[in-house]
Amino acid sequence: MKKIISVLMCLVLLGCVFAGCTKKEDLKSDIVLITNGATINDDGYNQSAWEGIQSYADENAMTCRYYQPVLEEDKITTENIEKYVSLSAENGAKYIILPGADFAVSAYEIAASYPDICFILIDAIPHSADDTTDRFVKNVMSVSFDVLQAGFLAGYLTVMNGNTELGYFGQFDSKNSTNYGAGFVQGAAYAADSLGKPVTVDWAEYDSPLRNYSFDFSVTACYKKISDIKDKTFKVNVVNGLGSGTYTEGSNVTISAAPAPEGKVFDKWEVKSDTKGVKDKKVNISSEKDAAMNLIVEKCDCTLTATYKDAEGAYNVEIMSADGKTVDTAINVDENGECDITAPVAAKNMVFSRWETSASVTIENKESANTKISDINENIKLIPIYELSKTPTFNLTVVTGEGGEGESTGSGSYAAESDVTVVSAPPKEGYMFSHWENTDTYGNSTGVAMTNEYNYSTTFKMVDRYAAICDTMFNCGVTAVFTGGNDHAASAFTSKNDFDFDLNVIAAGENNKDAYTTVVNNYGEAVKDCLSDFKGGTVTLASCATDAIYSTFVSDDENIKTNYDDVYKLLADGKIPLVQAQGGAGYDFCKYYNDNQPSKCLTLNGWFVEGISLK
C-alpha cells in the first residue's frame, strides 16, 4: 500500500516531468532540483542549474532528478514547494536546489524542518514573508552573484565595442540594481581610459524620489479650419448621437446613437440629405438598425437622427461608477435582448477586474471591461470591480485642441496593454476634426499606435511608459543602455524597438536573446561549487574567480576578445578593485564618483531631477 501511495503522489501531486514513476525505487535520488514552474529546457536559470546538477552527479556517481511545480495563479507558493520537499525527503534526497529569489521565503520557512537535507538557494538569501531582512538557516547555503563584476564586464565591453554615449536604466529601491550600475560605470571608465576616448554615462532611475520625471502623457484632439481645406467638405449632423462634424468626401465615419431615454429602446436611423438635388438614399450608411454603424461620406450634407420606440417589456441596465456609488450609464433593453457594456475608467493605480451582478443575465466575458450581456429579463445593476494593478498604471489626459467645443473623453489611469478609447469633442462652427496627437511631458512621442488617428473616436493599447526614460536617453544620443538589476528592464527593449535596431540594450542575469549581450549569472557553475563544498548557514559569492559570470557575446574582433580575457582574469585575481555603491543608492554613488574624479575620460551624469546633471 505504501508503494502505491508514493506512486500516486508522484503522478497527481507533482506536475513533474520525469520518466519511470511506476516504482518507488525509481523515485530515489541524491540531488533534487525544484524549478520555478518552468521547464529545465527554458534556456534560463532552471536549465543552467539542471545542467550543473547533472554534471556534478555524473562526476560523483550520484542520482538526480527535478520537479516542475504546477503554479497557482502564476505564482510559486510555500505550501506548494513543501509538498515537493516532503516527497524528496521521503525518497532520500541529500541536496535540494532552489533556483532564484522566488524560493527565498520557502527556504526560510521549510528548511529547518528537514535538518538532514542540505538546501542550496541560488541568487537569493532566505527571509520571511513580511520582512526582507536576510536570515541564515543552518542547512541552507546561499549563493550571491558579484553584480559589481557583472556590471563592470558590461560597461567594459560596451565601450570596447565602440559605444561612447551610454545609459544606465536603474531602480532606486534596489541595492542590487545600484551595484550593477556602479560596476557598469567603472567598467566603462576602465575601457575609456585604456583607449584614451571620452565616454559619457547617463544614469537614470525610473523610481527615484530624487528626480521629478513624469510618466504622464496627453492625447490631443486636433482640429483645422474648413476654409483651409482644399478638398470639398460635407457636413454631417447627428441628432441623438455622436459623429457630427465636417468631413471630406470618402471619409469613413463611425456614428453611434445616444443611450435610449427611460422606457425606450433604439429603433432605427432616419436619414436625410441636406444638399439640394441629392436624394436621401444617396446617404451611405452601413445599417439603419444598428445603434453604432458607419457612414461613408458622399457628395452631400446630411442629417442622421437616432430614433427610439417604446420598449416592449423593457428592462433597465445600470452600469455603476468606478466608486460604486452612482450610476455611470443607463441603457434600456427589450425583453430577451442584449447590449454592449463598458466599465468606467479605473481610478489611479487600479485596473478593472470583473463584473458582478445579482441578476440572472449572461455576461459574455466577466473579466473584460468591454463585453456584451444577453438574455435580459429583469432590471439589472452591473457593478464593475477594480483591484490594485499588479503592474504600474500611467495617467492619460485627453485634451480638446483649438477648434473643438466641449470635453473630449478617455482621460484616466491605465496599465500597460489596457484598451483605451478616446472620443474628441465636437468641432466648433467653421472647424472640422483633423487628427490625434500624443506627447509626453517632455515633448517626446509616446509610442502610442492608434487604430485610426484620423477618426474622432479611436482606440489604442496603453504603452509601457517606463520606456520613456530610455526614449529620452536615445533621443539625446545614447547608443547603448544597460539594465542590470532593474525589475522593469523590459522597458528598455520596448524603447529600442520604437527607435532603431542598431541601438543596443545590455542585459544582466538570465540570458536574454534580444540583448546585444548579457552578462549571465551561471547557476550551473554556482550549483557545482556548492555541492562540492557545502557550508550551511553561509552565503558564497559567485564571481569571475569561480567562473560564475560570463558574457553571451564579446566581439568579432580578436583583439577585443583578448583584452576581455585579460580583464576577466584581473577581476578573478582581485587586481581590479571595485567600489561598492555608497549607501546603496544611485545618487550616493554618482555623487561619490564625481567628487573623486576617478577617470580621466568618463563623465557621469545623474538624471535625478529632469535630466539635470549632479555637477
Side-chain angles (χ1 to χ4, degrees), residues 444-473:
N444 298 321
S445 174
T446 62
V448 163
M450 295 184 169
T451 304
N452 185 350
E453 63 184 291
Y454 300 103
N455 197 317
Y456 77 94
S457 175
T458 191
T459 61
F460 61 89
K461 286 192 178 295
M462 173 56 72
V463 294
D464 169 15
R465 286 293 295 143
Y466 286 141
I469 288 280
C470 298
D471 286 353
T472 305
M473 288 182 178

Side-chain angles (χ1 to χ4, degrees), residues 37-76:
T39 72
I40 46 86
N41 296 313
D42 64 352
D43 197 28
Y45 292 148
N46 294 297
Q47 181 171 337
S48 178
W50 180 239
E51 289 172 351
I53 291 168
Q54 286 183 306
S55 175
Y56 182 85
D58 289 344
E59 293 168 2
N60 292 275
M62 299 176 76
T63 58
C64 61
R65 70 169 62 253
Y66 70 92
Y67 297 140
Q68 181 184 333
V70 176
L71 301 183
E72 298 177 15
E73 297 182 351
D74 296 326
K75 293 181 180 178
I76 192 165

Side-chain angles (χ1 to χ4, degrees), residues 223-234 246-248 428-433:
Y223 305 82
K224 54 188 174 184
K225 292 182 178 179
I226 296 173
S227 58
D228 293 337
I229 306 301
K230 295 181 180 179
D231 296 332
K232 194 163 185 180
T233 60
F234 300 93
T246 301
Y247 304 93
T248 56
K428 293 178 181 177
E429 186 67 31
Y431 285 84
M432 62 183 289
F433 176 80

Side-chain angles (χ1 to χ4, degrees), residues 5 64 130 132 172 220 232 279 282 320 352 417 470 599:
I5 290 173
C64 61
D130 55 1
T132 57
F172 179 86
T220 302
K232 194 163 185 180
K279 297 180 180 180
K282 289 291 187 181
M320 301 305 290
F352 176 83
E417 295 302 307
C470 298
S599 171

Side-chain angles (χ1 to χ4, degrees), residues 109-172:
E109 295 184 354
I110 296 172
S113 299
Y114 297 87
D116 295 331
I117 297 178
C118 299
F119 290 82
I120 298 173
L121 177 61
I122 309 296
D123 209 5
I125 300 174
H127 63 78
S128 66
D130 55 1
D131 184 355
T132 57
T133 302
D134 294 344
R135 307 289 185 179
F136 299 96
V137 184
K138 287 184 178 180
N139 59 328
V140 178
M141 183 176 185
S142 297
V143 176
S144 176
F145 286 87
D146 192 329
V147 298
L148 270 173
Q149 289 190 352
F152 185 97
L153 291 175
Y156 180 79
L157 281 174
T158 302
V159 172
M160 294 301 289
N161 279 302
N163 297 280
T164 57
E165 295 184 68
L166 283 53
Y168 178 63
F169 179 48
Q171 182 176 346
F172 179 86

Side-chain angles (χ1 to χ4, degrees), residues 395-573:
N395 297 323
L396 164 69
T397 302
V398 183
V399 178
T400 301
E402 182 181 354
E405 189 166 34
E407 182 180 351
S408 298
T409 61
S411 297
S413 184
Y414 301 88
E417 295 302 307
S418 295
D419 292 320
V420 181
T421 298
V422 293
V423 180
S424 70
K428 293 178 181 177
E429 186 67 31
Y431 285 84
M432 62 183 289
F433 176 80
S434 172
H435 63 284
W436 293 96
E437 290 182 352
N438 62 88
T439 55
D440 66 14
T441 307
Y442 309 100
N444 298 321
S445 174
T446 62
V448 163
M450 295 184 169
T451 304
N452 185 350
E453 63 184 291
Y454 300 103
N455 197 317
Y456 77 94
S457 175
T458 191
T459 61
F460 61 89
K461 286 192 178 295
M462 173 56 72
V463 294
D464 169 15
R465 286 293 295 143
Y466 286 141
I469 288 280
C470 298
D471 286 353
T472 305
M473 288 182 178
F474 289 140
N475 277 332
C476 294
V478 167
T479 61
V481 170
F482 181 50
T483 63
N486 187 341
D487 287 345
H488 292 285
S491 300
F493 292 95
T494 299
S495 177
K496 166 186 162 62
N497 293 335
D498 288 344
F499 276 78
D500 188 332
F501 287 97
D502 289 336
L503 298 170
N504 300 316
V505 176
I506 317 301
E510 190 171 3
N511 185 11
N512 189 319
K513 292 181 179 179
D514 294 327
Y516 176 72
T517 187
T518 303
V519 279
V520 176
N521 293 339
N522 189 342
Y523 275 34
E525 194 64 40
V527 166
K528 290 178 66 176
D529 290 342
C530 291
L531 288 169
S532 298
D533 186 19
F534 182 85
K535 294 178 181 177
T538 67
V539 180
T540 185
L541 188 64
S543 64
C544 293
T546 62
D547 291 326
I549 302 168
Y550 67 90
S551 297
T552 54
F553 172 72
V554 175
S555 176
D556 293 325
D557 187 310
E558 291 300 324
N559 186 49
I560 294 176
K561 290 179 182 179
T562 300
N563 289 334
Y564 170 81
D565 290 340
D566 291 343
V567 164
Y568 193 98
K569 188 174 186 311
L570 289 172
L571 286 170
D573 293 341

Side-chain angles (χ1 to χ4, degrees), residues 310-369:
D310 292 335
E312 300 176 6
Y315 295 105
N316 193 40
V317 176
E318 292 182 339
I319 299 173
M320 301 305 290
S321 60
D323 62 11
K325 297 178 180 179
T326 59
V327 176
D328 180 80
T329 307
I331 309 168
N332 291 304
V333 184
D334 273 334
E335 186 174 9
N336 297 318
E338 63 181 28
C339 68
D340 294 322
I341 57 173
T342 300
V345 175
K348 187 175 182 180
N349 297 326
M350 305 293 285
V351 290
F352 176 83
S353 172
R354 65 191 184 280
W355 293 99
E356 287 188 357
T357 181
S358 59
S360 56
V361 64
T362 301
I363 303 177
E364 190 172 276
N365 184 351
K366 290 184 179 181
E367 297 180 354
S368 173

